[in-house]
Amino acid sequence: KNQVEQSPQSLIILEGKNCTLQCNYTVSPFSNLRWYKQDTGRGPVSLTIMTFSENTKSNGRYTATLDADTKQSSLHITASQLSDSASYICVVSPGTGTALIFGKGTTLSVSS
Amino acid sequence: ETGVTQSPTHLIKTRGQQVTLRCSSQSGHNTVSWYQQALGQGPQFIFQYYREEENGRGNFPPRFSGLQFPNYSSELNVNALELDDSALYLCASSRWSGGGTDTQYFGPGTRLTVL
């Protein structure tokens, strides 16, 4: 069964600190992996998209890594800000490119 | 802001009723996907429309149906509403690239409550 598992479920960190969110998937075939940020009550916003051949991709303070052999990805946030408080969702696209498979997300809370 | 708009923002219906949700895609986009997001869960793919044709469907019953119009806006219709249909309904627009890496831009969602 195609699944995307994320950990931890929730995380609290102090402003300015770094953190890493994890994503494991069992989706096959595999086309690409995406990380989205979703603020409460809003639609998800794309952070990164990585294909099979890409190991890392950055978007400002966000850096995503992908190990297609172990089917694992991580999202590293550096120098966290209060505005980083949100749900971060890992999404995997099978080869069809239509039925995106979403994880349940990691809820990040950044406190001052 | 992504340029994708959805209406209405919130909606309350009773069991058995029918509902229509609307989505206007971002300028230049020809593909719209619909998702259902239950509280505390990730979005679940309902279906996708490309150039007014259904282009893929998730594991949802036929009472979930859709349309895409020539201007690429879209509707999601749900018949015979059930309590479990209560969720945030998201639409996402994109420009079909054929390679599967097109970025989907999400709207703010419609919060549907079924009583």
Side-chain angles (χ1 to χ4, degrees):
Chain A
K1 182 181 179 182
N2 287 335
Q3 283 187 315
V4 176
E5 302 286 342
Q6 292 187 243
S7 62
Q9 184 175 358
S10 61
L11 185 61
I12 302 174
I13 62 173
L14 289 175
E15 187 178 13
K17 297 296 185 182
N18 304 335
C19 66
T20 300
L21 313 180
Q22 301 291 342
C23 173
N24 297 332
Y25 61 93
T26 58
V27 179
S28 182
F30 172 86
S31 175
N32 58 78
L33 184 145
R34 311 158 186 230
W35 282 93
Y36 282 87
K37 177 186 178 186
Q38 185 174 24
D39 293 315
T40 301
R42 307 287 295 272
V45 174
S46 178
L47 296 175
T48 62
I49 298 178
M50 290 183 291
T51 60
F52 184 89
S53 59
E54 295 176 294
N55 300 119
T56 184
K57 183 162 281 189
S58 293
N59 177 0
R61 294 181 295 103
Y62 302 102
T63 300
T65 64
L66 174 64
D67 185 333
D69 291 331
T70 62
K71 299 188 176 182
Q72 295 180 325
S73 176
S74 66
L75 179 69
H76 187 74
I77 305 174
T78 59
S80 61
Q81 301 176 359
L82 296 177
S83 59
D84 292 333
S85 296
S87 178
Y88 291 84
I89 306 175
C90 175
V91 185
V92 178
S93 174
T96 59
T98 57
L100 298 180
I101 300 170
F102 288 71
K104 293 183 179 180
T106 292
T107 300
L108 175 65
S109 299
V110 180
S111 60
S112 57
Chain B
E1 299 298 324
T2 63
V4 179
T5 61
Q6 292 186 244
S7 62
T9 306
H10 296 87
L11 199 54
I12 299 175
K13 291 285 190 179
T14 57
R15 269 188 310 174
Q17 284 189 310
Q18 178 267 342
V19 69
T20 296
L21 311 182
R22 295 178 175 83
C23 172
S24 292
S25 58
Q26 187 168 311
S27 177
H29 287 182
N30 53 17
T31 305
V32 174
S33 303
W34 284 93
Y35 297 87
Q36 179 194 69
Q37 186 175 21
L39 203 60
Q41 303 292 317
Q44 297 289 318
F45 174 70
I46 302 175
F47 43 58
Q48 182 184 77
Y49 278 83
Y50 169 61
R51 292 187 173 180
E52 303 178 59
E53 298 283 335
E54 188 176 290
N55 187 43
R57 188 180 183 93
N59 189 27
F60 280 80
R63 58 189 185 84
F64 285 78
S65 63
L67 283 174
Q68 187 179 33
F69 301 99
N71 66 355
Y72 302 123
S73 65
S74 178
E75 284 183 356
L76 164 65
N77 298 292
V78 187
N79 293 323
L81 284 168
E82 301 176 359
L83 296 179
D84 285 348
D85 295 335
S86 295
L88 180 68
Y89 287 85
L90 296 164
C91 86
S93 77
S94 57
R95 182 156 187 83
W96 182 264
S97 66
T101 58
D102 44 304
T103 298
Q104 297 194 356
Y105 295 85
F106 284 83
T110 292
R111 172 71 63 186
L112 172 65
T113 301
V114 182
L115 302 176

